[in-house]
Amino acid sequence: MSLTIGEISYTNILPFFYYLNRDQLKKDDVRFVPQVPSQLNQAMAKGLVDIGGISSFAYAKNDHAFTLLPNLSVTTYGKVQSIFMFSKYRIDQLDGKRVALTSSSETSIHLLKIIIEYFYQKDVSYEIVEPHFERMLNEFDACLLIGDDAIIANRQKQNGLYVYDLGEIWYKETGLPMTFAVFAVRNECIKQQPSKVLKIYEALVESKKRSELHHYQPMIKDILLTHGGIKDFWESYFEQLCNDFGKQEQKGLLYYFELLFKLGYLHKPIDHLHVWNPVMQY
């Protein structure tokens, strides 16, 4: 029986995939599907993808069906440098304004809602649109972009715009890390194919460790060819990301879920994370 791995099509997920032996995994009947977070979230929910890095918010909507893999996440303790709100107004002046939200995200969309509605207590209207920087700001007062779209927009932005890093605001307000993406596996896959899930998990962890050991240098060299930018930016970008998912990262994620429930964006409280313990499988 084959397993499908969903691979987020953003650079921040690369450390977990860069050193994978894809040929060997394919021989083990594992296939890869690259998608943006919103597509991958839907595919996991529909059972079309078995294992993947999904938006943290997507896990909250399907926590009954998913188990989280330990030691793997896209987390920041402060600036994330790839999730920005670009605004014509200061954030404390957004009352009554219109904000465009990227269609590529769920976690970041809801993080921005926490920031605007809970931390700053402003009343704005939102609209989800395709991520296109110029069109968004032509039609709206502010816009949210994530991933490579946000990195490019920040590199090319015009003068006079206010730029807010959502990870930086979250950390300033809470003192907790913000986990934007988690690695999840469908529960039935663990029940039916625990050994194959373990092999994939170990490969992801090994790729993460090798990426960190080499300070992301081979990966950055490839990114410069495909995405441009400057080496110093990408070094700073990856070094400030946290790839782990331990107690502190889980604490921050649970507080994010707590605030979403308080604001009415989750229909039930999430007070426990289902994290896999591979040792317990054998």
Side-chain angles (χ1 to χ4, degrees), residues 8 13 53-56 72-75 107 179-183 245:
I8 296 176
I13 209 80
I54 62 171
S55 296
S56 299
L72 303 170
S73 79
V74 177
T75 296
T107 298
T179 295
F180 293 94
V182 290
F183 276 78
F245 192 55

Side-chain angles (χ1 to χ4, degrees), residues 3-250:
L3 284 180
T4 300
I5 300 178
E7 185 174 0
I8 296 176
S9 304
Y10 288 148
T11 51
N12 60 15
I13 209 80
L14 267 180
F16 308 101
F17 290 89
Y18 190 74
Y19 289 102
L20 290 187
N21 187 337
R22 293 172 185 259
D23 292 336
Q24 182 58 52
L25 288 170
K26 287 175 183 176
K27 289 179 183 177
D28 293 332
D29 212 7
V30 174
R31 68 188 192 98
F32 295 84
V33 177
Q35 294 177 320
V36 298
S38 58
Q39 295 171 331
L40 183 51
N41 297 342
Q42 294 173 16
M44 282 282 290
K46 294 177 180 177
L48 302 176
V49 169
D50 300 305
I51 300 174
I54 62 171
S55 296
S56 299
F57 185 79
Y59 167 76
K61 293 195 302 182
N62 295 278
D63 68 313
H64 62 285
F66 297 158
T67 296
L68 298 177
L69 297 179
N71 307 311
L72 303 170
S73 79
V74 177
T75 296
T76 57
Y77 284 72
K79 290 183 179 180
V80 61
Q81 299 189 72
S82 60
I83 301 176
F84 294 115
M85 181 179 72
F86 301 91
S87 178
K88 300 172 186 175
Y89 302 89
R90 291 200 320 264
I91 196 168
D92 59 351
Q93 298 175 327
L94 281 179
D95 239 356
K97 301 298 190 292
R98 300 172 66 235
V99 179
L101 305 174
T102 175
S103 58
S104 302
S105 170
E106 283 192 295
T107 298
S108 302
I109 282 175
H110 289 89
L111 176 57
L112 182 61
K113 291 177 178 179
I114 289 173
I115 290 169
I116 290 175
E117 298 170 28
Y118 189 78
F119 296 154
Y120 284 87
Q121 298 187 350
K122 301 302 175 185
D123 184 16
V124 306
S125 60
Y126 307 104
E127 186 172 332
I128 296 177
V129 300
E130 290 297 313
H132 190 287
F133 185 48
E134 289 79 11
R135 284 202 296 266
M136 285 170 134
L137 283 180
N138 281 340
E139 298 178 26
F140 295 87
D141 300 304
C143 71
L144 171 68
L145 287 172
I146 73 165
D148 301 334
D149 295 325
I151 292 171
I152 293 169
N154 192 48
R155 194 186 300 157
Q156 301 174 346
K157 67 181 182 296
Q158 62 203 47
N159 292 329
L161 283 177
Y162 295 95
V163 182
Y164 296 96
D165 185 305
L166 270 59
E168 182 178 26
I169 296 175
W170 170 265
Y171 190 69
K172 178 183 176 183
E173 294 289 338
T174 68
L176 293 168
M178 178 62 211
T179 295
F180 293 94
V182 290
F183 276 78
V185 57
R186 293 192 303 114
N187 292 337
E188 54 262 43
C189 294
I190 291 177
K191 293 176 182 176
Q192 296 169 4
Q193 303 186 77
S195 60
K196 188 175 286 188
V197 171
L198 180 62
K199 183 178 291 188
I200 293 169
Y201 169 69
E202 289 176 340
L204 292 168
V205 171
E206 178 62 23
S207 181
K208 178 191 84 165
K209 289 180 177 178
R210 289 183 65 185
S211 297
E212 293 172 345
L213 178 65
H214 297 298
H215 298 285
Y216 311 100
Q217 291 303 312
M219 191 175 71
I220 288 171
K221 185 177 179 180
D222 288 344
I223 290 172
L224 287 170
L225 294 175
T226 56
H227 290 75
I230 60 175
K231 187 169 181 282
D232 286 350
F233 166 78
W234 289 112
E235 287 177 341
S236 169
Y237 178 64
F238 284 107
E239 289 295 345
Q240 57 80 39
L241 284 176
C242 170
N243 302 314
D244 301 324
F245 192 55
K247 289 183 178 179
Q248 193 68 5
E249 292 80 33
Q250 293 171 28

